[in-house]
Amino acid sequence: MKKYLAIILALVMVFALAACGGGGGSGDVTKDNIKIGVVHIGPLADQGYTYNHHIGAEKMISNLGLRSDQYIPKFDAGVDPAKVTNSINELIQEGCHIIFATSFSHQNQMIEAARENPNVVFAHATGTNAIDAGLDNYHNYFAKIHEARYLGGIAAGLRTETNVLGYVAAHPFAEVISGFTAFYLGALSVNPDVTMEVIYIDSWGDPPLEQQVATRLIELGADVIAQHSDSATPAIAAQERGAWHVGYNNDMRSAAPDASMLSPRIDWSIYMTLAVDNLLNGKKTPVDWGEGLASGAAFITELNTSIVAPGTADAIEAAKAKIISGELKIFSGHLVDNDGNNAKITGYGDPAPLIYEFTGPDSHFAESAGPSAPSFNAIIKGINIIS
Amino acid sequence: MEGFAVVDFFFMAVIAATPLLFATLGEILTQKSGSLNLGVEGMMFMGAAAGVAASYIYEATVGDATLGFVSAILAVLIGFLAGALGGLIYSVLTVTFRANQNVTGLALTIFGIGAGNLVGELLGIRAGGFTTVAEDTKRMFSSISIPWLSDIPVIGRLFFSYNFMVYLAIITAIVLMWIFNKTRVGLNLRGVGESPATADAVGINVTRYKYIAAIVGGGICGLGGVFISMADNSGTWIFNCIAGRGWIAVALVIFAAWRPSRAIIGALLFGGLSVLRLYLPIDGIPAQVYNILPFVATILVLIFTSIRQSKEHSQPKSCGINYFREER
């Protein structure tokens, strides 16, 4: 009996110690002691999403004049819940005061950790549930990338000769649909005859499949390929077949010098700097944060001036100024679906709740104004989903 | 959308099938010697990265004197050698040190993916962006054009307009078929795979056969990687470019019943099914259903072959088991 008691006591002490060790972030947070953790979905070498988020974090460190060892990245956390939870817990153990997570699929683990660790701030990119969670230490953030995609669409609309665009799309989610619709509306704003073919790859990235899909879109008559997928293989397919291309996440000109016109991109450092700075100064960070072209959180990479259509740079500049001033609203007007009915934005659930309906020429939907994650998920006229 | 574009579909199916065919042939050769090497994915990554690296470094070294032909040969050769290195590592561990074959193969996969992406990343840092090869080299890996043959309508596009590696894959299959069925070496190799003890007793050098089969087999798997990085991706390093194709090849070996001739058909079928959705989308059938079709086919083949109990067309008997002469 004594033996068991001893074991139980020992266990209690171990757990007590662990409890003391955890929940870092107590005491004053200063520039000197702050630690910032980031749970990255992929490895640094991915040439895309994770790399982009990593340089955002590095820029935040230099913006705030912190030391590089104060940024603790956990790469390749993936989407497996146990692994994500481990990564978050490790960051808490290391005494991080604020933890960022980069993937939508980290949502449940992040909110769980936020409930258990009220002293640590949790900021989750692309997530949707902070607005309803009511936690002081849990925020969502995203960039209004659709604004940058709209500008990419302008380049595509001016460039196309067949008036058919092709889009390599990841998943049939609002995040993707909002992006390709903004791209299409950008093209439509300069070219009323343009239509767009879309094929989903059903993953965030599968390089050979992305390439095959892009090739197929070109066979179907598309001469500008755009993408919401991780790799540069759509750019390479466009290059091989003499088409043009609008990328994502990375400047793809070096992979496809005669095809890649520009890439919409996110500068994550804007939000990361704000969130960390607010924590240092004891200020509140908005529950949902989403900014776009105005602050540079969404931007386009340098134009490939040797291949874009004449006048592209001016058209993009003009549209950019109007988007920033609020004069140009992207999801506006009487948008209809392919059957001619009013386009409807719906939420999750069964039956899906109606979020917004485009009823007339004055309709407009302010994307990412409420929840920072995109919600536009209507398929509008002119866009043909192939598969 | 217009009707089913048969010619375009077939062309794309062949391009999708070729890396699978290389990897399947490499794995068939390896398994014929009684070694179950699950490291196909890793060896493909090693081949893919080494191919790009070879071309890139050669071009950076000789500068303007670059010959596309030499650069392409180097990519294929070094890619083959990188895959062969994977096969050598596997052989040393399983044949000499008698490590568990499954574990070694899985470890080789993890190692190969890491090594391939590391080499690709280092090249990317050196190139300051995406690593890509010279135009002349890219042209070597683009579709060939044979005078008048390639110009025949339909037939020309269907048979005479692929890049040279597609034909190399088919030649490899034919050569393997000939070796397995018509030569002494092939007979010995099959003997080693079926019963190493018997082969040993009749004086066949089991160790040598196992080493050579795994090394050459690994090299052929590496060529599958070279196809993806050099032909599909035009000599540009793309992170994670193999993306699971090696695992499909492992399933294909079973589908092909360890026969190179059937590997050609199987690879074409798997390649075709993987792009079928793009050419023949049916409303209401989700992408996931298309994606599982090759594996449903594999399971059906497994069921049928086990019902038929064909000894000739099943896995070599000693596959997965290391040979200890002392335990005979």
Side-chain angles (χ1 to χ4, degrees):
Chain A
M1 192 61 207
K2 250 186 190 166
K3 219 191 226 166
Y4 288 111
L5 200 65
I7 290 172
I8 289 166
L9 274 176
L11 280 175
V12 165
M13 282 170 77
V14 167
F15 281 118
L17 273 175
C20 291
S26 48
D28 279 348
V29 187
T30 64
K31 240 179 159 170
D32 211 38
N33 72 5
I34 190 168
K35 283 186 185 169
I36 300 135
V38 182
V39 180
H40 290 286
I41 182 173
L44 177 56
D46 77 342
Q47 302 175 326
Y49 189 79
T50 294
Y51 170 72
N52 208 23
H53 227 124
H54 170 74
I55 55 175
E58 285 192 324
K59 220 168 132 189
M60 170 270 292
I61 291 290
S62 77
N63 283 347
L64 294 171
L66 304 176
R67 298 184 314 272
S68 60
D69 65 312
Q70 289 175 286
Y71 159 46
I72 307 171
K74 291 280 174 206
F75 288 111
D76 224 352
V79 297
D80 174 44
K83 201 172 167 193
V84 173
T85 302
N86 272 348
S87 300
I88 297 172
N89 286 341
E90 281 168 29
L91 290 171
I92 296 170
Q93 296 289 323
E94 290 186 53
C96 287
H97 303 85
I98 178 165
I99 294 171
F100 296 87
T102 65
S103 170
F104 180 79
S105 32
H106 301 158
Q107 172 154 290
N108 295 339
Q109 294 78 42
M110 283 293 278
I111 199 163
E112 197 61 29
R115 286 207 182 94
E116 286 167 13
N117 302 280
N119 294 329
V120 182
V121 176
F122 292 84
H124 180 222
T126 80
T128 53
N129 60 359
I131 206 163
D132 299 323
L135 293 168
D136 276 346
N137 63 332
Y138 183 61
H139 314 135
N140 281 151
Y141 67 102
F142 203 10
K144 290 179 177 166
I145 184 68
H146 60 277
E147 295 182 352
R149 288 197 190 275
Y150 185 90
L151 301 183
I154 291 176
L158 290 171
R159 183 71 274 178
T160 179
E161 286 164 5
T162 59
N163 287 333
V164 181
L165 312 178
Y167 204 97
V168 182
H171 292 283
F173 299 160
E175 183 183 334
V176 179
I177 296 169
S178 166
F180 69 60
T181 308
F183 174 80
Y184 176 67
L185 290 172
L188 204 59
S189 72
V190 292
N191 182 346
D193 299 322
V194 79
T195 60
M196 187 164 86
E197 307 283 335
V198 176
I199 298 180
Y200 292 110
I201 58 166
D202 207 38
S203 83
W204 290 116
D206 180 331
L209 182 60
E210 289 168 54
Q211 210 238 17
Q212 288 154 353
V213 165
T215 306
R216 178 61 183 148
L217 289 165
I218 295 167
E219 285 173 4
L220 287 169
D223 65 350
V224 182
I225 299 297
Q227 66 179 95
H228 187 155
S229 61
D230 282 347
S231 86
T233 58
I236 292 165
Q239 169 93 12
E240 266 173 30
R241 300 263 179 149
W244 293 283
H245 174 261
V246 175
Y248 184 40
N249 274 335
N250 201 340
D251 187 335
M252 297 182 179
R253 282 178 299 171
S254 55
D258 307 320
S260 176
M261 300 194 288
L262 75 159
S263 299
R265 199 164 171 173
I266 295 174
D267 182 352
W268 297 106
S269 73
I270 311 261
Y271 174 75
M272 293 177 123
T273 307
L274 175 87
V276 174
D277 198 40
N278 282 350
L279 181 63
L280 287 170
N281 298 321
K283 282 194 281 189
K284 257 185 137 44
T285 301
V287 174
D288 257 287
W289 184 96
E291 285 183 8
L293 296 172
S295 66
F299 68 105
I300 51 168
T301 58
E302 202 183 316
L303 272 188
N304 191 343
T305 44
S306 57
I307 57 167
V308 294
T312 302
D314 294 339
I316 287 179
E317 271 318 308
K320 186 178 166 188
K322 281 186 190 170
I323 291 171
I324 292 174
S325 72
E327 187 187 340
L328 172 61
K329 295 181 171 60
I330 291 174
F331 299 106
S332 65
H334 190 198
L335 299 181
V336 292
D337 64 18
N338 277 310
D339 298 326
N341 302 321
N342 292 344
K344 289 186 185 113
I345 301 169
T346 51
Y348 295 103
D350 190 28
L354 182 68
I355 295 176
Y356 190 82
E357 180 171 351
F358 292 86
T359 52
D362 295 334
S363 299
H364 93 87
F365 177 70
E367 177 67 295
S368 303
S372 56
S375 1
F376 186 94
N377 60 357
I379 304 298
I380 64 167
K381 189 169 157 254
I383 296 178
N384 177 33
I385 308 287
I386 293 174
S387 165
Chain B
M1 211 182 116
E2 73 272 28
F4 185 28
V6 182
V7 178
D8 283 343
F9 169 67
F10 189 83
F11 188 86
M12 181 88 89
V14 171
I15 297 294
T18 306
L20 299 178
L21 179 56
F22 273 121
T24 307
L25 292 172
E27 182 64 9
I28 287 177
L29 175 59
T30 309
Q31 290 199 14
K32 281 280 181 193
S33 74
S35 294
L36 179 69
N37 186 352
L38 294 176
V40 183
E41 177 88 358
M43 295 186 291
M44 286 178 82
F45 262 102
M46 291 165 76
V52 175
S55 277
Y56 181 77
I57 291 168
Y58 161 74
E59 286 163 11
T61 313
V62 300
D64 288 342
T66 295
L67 294 170
F69 180 72
V70 177
S71 189
I73 296 283
L74 275 174
V76 171
L77 200 69
I78 304 294
F80 181 90
L81 289 178
L85 174 69
L88 176 67
I89 295 171
Y90 177 85
S91 306
V92 170
L93 290 174
T94 62
V95 180
T96 304
F97 295 119
R98 289 160 192 169
N100 180 297
Q101 294 190 4
N102 295 340
V103 177
T104 307
L106 292 174
L108 184 59
T109 290
I110 298 167
F111 170 77
I113 294 174
N117 280 326
L118 174 70
V119 170
E121 169 81 353
L122 291 176
L123 287 173
I125 291 169
R126 209 172 132 169
F130 288 91
T131 313
T132 192
V133 300
E135 280 305 313
D136 281 351
T137 316
K138 287 181 184 173
R139 242 186 314 268
M140 292 302 299
F141 286 94
S142 59
S143 299
I144 56 163
S145 175
I146 309 168
W148 75 267
L149 270 182
S150 303
D151 300 333
I152 308 169
V154 183
I155 307 279
R157 181 157 162 80
L158 282 184
F159 297 104
F160 304 111
S161 59
Y162 302 102
N163 67 68
F164 78 93
M165 286 196 79
V166 173
Y167 303 102
L168 181 63
I170 293 166
I171 293 168
T172 309
I174 294 169
V175 169
L176 284 182
M177 225 182 323
W178 176 73
I179 291 176
F180 290 157
N181 299 321
K182 302 278 186 224
T183 67
R184 181 102 211 168
V185 171
L187 190 66
N188 291 352
L189 178 70
R190 278 154 57 204
V192 169
E194 292 298 333
S195 172
T198 317
D200 201 4
V202 297
I204 298 168
N205 188 335
V206 173
T207 305
R208 189 200 290 163
Y209 269 91
K210 283 193 152 223
Y211 259 87
I212 292 175
I215 290 171
V216 177
I220 297 173
C221 290
L223 291 180
V226 173
F227 185 89
I228 289 181
S229 66
M230 295 303 289
D232 276 351
N233 296 345
S234 300
T236 310
W237 175 256
I238 297 290
F239 171 78
N240 199 24
C241 59
I242 308 296
R245 299 304 181 273
W247 291 111
I248 295 178
V250 173
L252 250 173
V253 172
I254 299 164
F255 186 92
W258 293 266
R259 281 187 292 173
S261 54
R262 254 180 56 180
I264 298 177
I265 298 162
L268 200 55
L269 185 72
F270 275 46
L273 286 174
S274 73
V275 295
L276 181 64
R277 175 168 74 92
L278 311 182
Y279 290 85
L280 204 60
I282 298 167
D283 275 344
I285 299 187
Q288 291 86 342
V289 173
Y290 283 95
N291 295 345
I292 61 170
L293 287 177
F295 304 100
V296 173
T298 306
I299 292 168
L300 289 178
V301 167
L302 264 177
I303 293 171
F304 283 122
T305 47
S306 74
I307 290 172
R308 274 176 49 212
Q309 296 261 332
S310 160
K311 284 222 173 72
E312 199 183 342
H313 302 311
S314 58
Q315 191 176 37
K317 272 269 146 44
S318 77
C319 228
I321 307 157
N322 290 330
Y323 174 59
F324 292 73
R325 179 181 256 179
E326 290 74 16
E327 277 185 6
R328 248 184 319 163

